[in-house]
């Protein structure tokens, strides 16, 4: 397989065009062997994660499709090759199409092709067969055409290196910390760091929950465009004569076959036909494959949505088959990573059905429904609709009884929804504070970060402030301020500040729990925000102490 791929990549392009049926047959044989070998592996006996199993299923499906559906013949290429061989002076339009199709556009390309041609003759032992004359004649005609139409020679590697050396140095702030390339679409994550959108999206798609640069846990995965930096990059490019990077277009704007995506429009159309008109087993299998394809890359997400899959998947959310329902909601989750798809999903009336899955589905379906609601709630207008659809009580139930992953999905969704003021009251009235306090007390549960982030948002609302205060939270918050991570100490101080502002009873309780010493240390060693909150709290305590002293003197 490796040798065949190498020959296809580095070998003679003319030979591959003339012998492509033979070469394609070899690839088909290898595909069949790989598919058969993979089918023999006893996956059920191996300890594989769900994600690995999904990738194996997708590979199997793609190999089966490749085995069953041969490549379509290129009639234009066949005609142009025949005309170029037959005529002594072929039409320049024919030679132009061959030059483009075979990527033989410059004299240097022809030189490389000539070397590959001679390598083939050597490998044949001096008996190349009847293709030798055909290739030799075609190569000469293409060479004459290229010399006439495109005589310039490519830059040498030395010249290219010199050109690169003369290029202006890109400022570090304009480079993505992941790719180290000039950013074209900079976005900000919850830690305040900026990344190229495609790079950080790949990081998040891989399941990472931390900021690559700071290693801090991301409070949410929303990506905010950095318009200021984008403008500065544009000005710098204009001033330095650098071409501004262009953002990648959608799948429909790319030439078929040239996209880096595995997006296969024919296969997707077949899957959609099964979703719409297939029996329950076919619908389940089709939804499962769309789920995997949508998870794989951005181009697939665009193509699947453009083909009209979203309304069909929304209909399957009400399926009585648990596995079909899981596939449908997870496919929508994967599709919702694309911002345009978010709007399409909501416009298809998906929110009430997703909330219903969150309430009554299997645990996997409930978890993925929570993650889908979080993804959709990145758009502010959807926060209102999701809250009004009754999602928050169901998310709180998942926060109480879900798996560790389910609890995190529920927490991130609640956090994002609670940014909208109306949803803060809904969360408090649905009883969010008690489960958050339980998570806060259970340091080994891995949910302290999320619990504190939500409490910090709710504490800014009067009902939230009262509920947190009634939950005997001060001792727990003080422990976090003493021993927590920098971000958790900051959030704990913010909650404490909200509780104590205008409430002498809470302030007194904080003082009894040793707030003076802990806040003084935080005001010296905390984050900038933590220092401000600690300083304000110390001022409040000092005022109370001053009043107490004056009253005692009286």
């Amino acid at each position: 397989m490796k040798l065949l791929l190498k020959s296809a990549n580095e070998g003679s392009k003319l030979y591959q065009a003339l012998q492509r049926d033979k070469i394609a047959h070899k690839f088909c044989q290898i595909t069949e062997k790989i598919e058969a070998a993979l089918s023999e592996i006893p996956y059920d006996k191996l300890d594989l994660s769900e994600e690995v199993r999904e990738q194996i299923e997708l590979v199997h499906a793609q190999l089966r499709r490749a085995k069953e559906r041969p490549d379509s013949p290129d009639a234009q290429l066949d005609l142009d090759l025949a005309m170029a061989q037959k005529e002594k002076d072929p039409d320049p339009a024919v030679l132009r199409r061959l030059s483009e199709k075979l990527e033989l556009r410059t004299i240097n390309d022809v030189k490389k092709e000539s070397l590959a041609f001679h390598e083939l003759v050597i490998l044949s032992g001096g008996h190349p067969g009847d293709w030798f004359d055909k290739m030799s004649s075609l190569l000469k005609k293409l060479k004459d055409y290229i010399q006439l139409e495109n005589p310039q020679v490519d830059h040498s590697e030395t010249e290219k290196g010199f050109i690169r050396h003369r290029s202006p140095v890109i400022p570090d702030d304009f480079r993505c910390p992941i790719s180290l390339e000039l950013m074209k679409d900079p976005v900000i994550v919850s830690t305040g760091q900026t990344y190229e959108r495609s790079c950080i999206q790949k990081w998040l798609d891989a399941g990472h929950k931390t900021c690559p640069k700071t290693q801090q846990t991301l409070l949410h995965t929303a990506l905010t465009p950095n318009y200021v930096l984008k403008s500065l990059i544009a000005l710098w490019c204009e001033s330095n004569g650098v071409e501004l990077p262009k953002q990648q277009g959608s799948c429909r704007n790319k030439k078929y076959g040239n996209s880096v995506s595995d997006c296969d429009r024919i296969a997707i159309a077949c899957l959609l036909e099964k979703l719409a008109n297939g029996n329950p087993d076919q619908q389940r299998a089709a939804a499962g494959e769309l789920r995997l394809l949508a998870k794989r890359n951005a181009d697939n997400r665009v193509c699947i949505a453009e083909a009209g899959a979203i309304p069909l998947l929304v209909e399957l959310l009400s399926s009585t088959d648990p596995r079909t329902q899981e596939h449908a909601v997870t496919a929508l989750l994967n599709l919702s990573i694309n911002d345009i798809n978010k709007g399409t999903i909501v416009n298809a009336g998906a929110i009430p059905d997703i909330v219903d899955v969150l309430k009554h589905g299997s645990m996997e379906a409930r978890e993925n429904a929570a993650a889908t609601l979080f993804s959709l709630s990145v758009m502010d207008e959807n926060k209102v609709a999701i809250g009004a659809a009754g999602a928050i009580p169901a998310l709180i139930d998942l926060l109480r009884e879900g798996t560790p992953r389910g609890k995190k999905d529920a927490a991130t969704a609640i956090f994002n929804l609670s940014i909208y003021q109306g949803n803060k009251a809904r969360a408090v009235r649905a009883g969010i504070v008690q489960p958050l306090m339980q998570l806060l007390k259970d340091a080994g549960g891995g949910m302290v970060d999320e619990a504190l982030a939500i409490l910090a948002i709710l504490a800014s609302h009067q009902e939230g402030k009262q509920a947190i205060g009634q939950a005997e939270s001060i001792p727990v918050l003080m422990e976090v301020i003493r021993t927590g991570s920098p971000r958790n100490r900051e959030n704990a101080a913010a909650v404490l500040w909200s509780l104590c502002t205008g409430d002498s009873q809470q302030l007194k309780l904080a003082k009894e729990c040793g707030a003076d010493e802990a806040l003084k240390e935080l005001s010296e060693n905390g984050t900038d925000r933590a220092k401000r909150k600690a300083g304000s709290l110390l001022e409040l305590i000092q005022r109370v102490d001053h009043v107490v002293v004056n009253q005692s003197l009286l």
Side-chain angles (χ1 to χ4, degrees), residues 58 62 65 262-264 267-268 271 286-301 304 334-335:
L58 179 58
Q62 291 174 330
R65 283 205 306 273
D262 292 326
C263 179
D264 185 331
I268 289 171
L271 292 172
E289 194 161 344
L290 285 171
R291 163 187 179 174
L292 298 175
L293 286 168
K295 182 177 182 178
R296 186 154 188 177
N297 59 50
D299 285 332
N300 284 357
R301 290 189 277 276
I304 291 168
N334 296 336
L335 290 170

Side-chain angles (χ1 to χ4, degrees), residues 54 57-58 60-62 64-65 267-268 270-276 278-294 304 313 316 319 321-328 331:
E54 287 180 354
E57 289 176 19
L58 179 58
H60 269 295
Q62 291 174 330
R64 284 194 295 271
R65 283 205 306 273
I268 289 171
C270 292
L271 292 172
L272 264 60
E273 174 62 26
K274 291 177 182 177
L275 279 189
N279 60 42
D281 289 341
Q282 290 175 324
Q283 287 181 324
R284 180 173 60 249
E289 194 161 344
L290 285 171
R291 163 187 179 174
L292 298 175
L293 286 168
I304 291 168
L313 290 168
L316 291 183
S319 170
D321 177 62
R323 194 62 178 156
T324 300
Q325 193 179 66
E326 288 170 14
H327 286 329

Side-chain angles (χ1 to χ4, degrees), residues 368-408:
N368 289 336
T372 307
L373 291 175
F374 162 71
S375 178
L376 297 177
S377 69
V378 169
M379 301 174 72
D380 288 340
E381 60 269 28
N382 293 342
K383 290 180 174 66
V384 182
I386 293 169
I392 291 176
L395 288 169
I396 294 172
D397 288 341
L398 186 59
L399 191 65
R400 289 193 182 100
E401 60 197 40
T403 66
R405 177 193 147 205
K407 289 180 178 180
K408 285 189 178 290

Side-chain angles (χ1 to χ4, degrees), residues 249-255 265 302-303 306:
S250 71
C251 188
R252 71 173 65 169
N253 294 325
K254 298 175 183 176
K255 290 184 179 179
R265 291 184 180 277
V302 173
C303 291
E306 288 180 349

